[in-house]
Amino acid sequence: MELKQFLELFNPLPGNHYIQVTTKPDATSAALASLLEEVNGEFRLAVYAEEEFPLSSELKNAKVQFVKNFKTPFRALPRDNDIVILKDILNTHANPELLLRIAYTTLANTADIIIMEKKNTLDIEKTKELLDKFEFRAPNAIDVLEEYDLVMAKKMHMWGNGL
């Protein structure tokens, strides 16, 4: 997996918090953990899996929560994350709208949400409309990973839900 272009989407600052919500940590998870470690930030991982499993050594400093089923929301404090990455979960979760509400609440103002799904499984236009419905602005489809469709949008200060 070529991650150079993917990592160019991020510009972590000291103390930033990123959370990746996924069904399986992979090279993107390890790369983000490393990127945040370099700036003394915190990488958080919410893993949807029926059973907990050991994580790779690259994720040893990640703050991890395991979520048992696809009806349950992940946990995140309000305005506590600078980026939320929903990877391989939006199409799988029983309530994708709930995931977007939690993402909106946990993001700081002007922070980003990234939705990643395996190539050709994401209806990009529908996803952009859904993001707009939940007050995320300027959604863009970005082709930086061979295996994934990626849509990125921003939570804008003083727009929408006012959080």
Side-chain angles (χ1 to χ4, degrees), residues 18-156:
Y18 292 4
I19 184 169
Q20 185 181 54
V21 183
T22 186
T23 54
K24 188 174 191 289
D26 64 4
T28 64
S29 313
L32 289 169
S34 174
L35 193 65
L36 282 159
E37 209 169 286
E38 290 172 16
V39 296
N40 207 18
E42 185 173 272
F43 181 65
R44 298 163 175 174
L45 200 51
V47 181
Y48 278 81
E50 288 182 17
E51 293 183 22
E52 293 185 19
F53 52 85
L55 296 170
S56 67
S57 61
E58 296 110 331
L59 297 171
K60 68 182 180 306
N61 293 326
K63 204 171 185 185
V64 181
Q65 64 175 288
F66 281 93
V67 185
K68 297 265 185 248
N69 67 58
F70 292 110
K71 294 178 184 167
T72 307
F74 67 97
R75 295 181 317 276
L77 295 171
R79 289 189 175 168
D80 196 35
N81 285 286
D82 300 288
I83 292 185
V84 172
I85 302 110
L86 301 177
K87 186 179 88 51
D88 294 328
I89 191 71
L90 197 68
N91 289 339
T92 310
H93 199 275
N95 190 348
E97 288 88 2
L98 177 62
L99 295 181
L100 291 174
R101 274 197 303 274
I102 295 167
Y104 188 91
T105 302
T106 193
L107 282 170
N109 289 324
T110 71
D112 295 308
I113 183 170
I114 296 174
I115 296 172
M116 299 172 62
E117 293 285 341
K118 294 273 187 228
K119 276 273 193 230
N120 303 317
T121 63
L122 187 66
D123 182 331
I124 291 173
E125 289 310 310
K126 218 172 177 178
T127 302
K128 287 179 179 180
E129 289 170 16
L130 188 61
L131 286 166
D132 191 56
K133 177 181 168 189
F134 283 87
E135 307 295 344
F136 291 102
R137 300 295 174 230
N140 284 300
I142 303 168
D143 191 14
V144 293
L145 291 173
E146 197 174 298
E147 305 89 3
Y148 284 94
D149 285 321
L150 191 142
V151 177
M152 187 171 185
K154 190 169 281 299
K155 174 183 175 181
M156 299 298 290

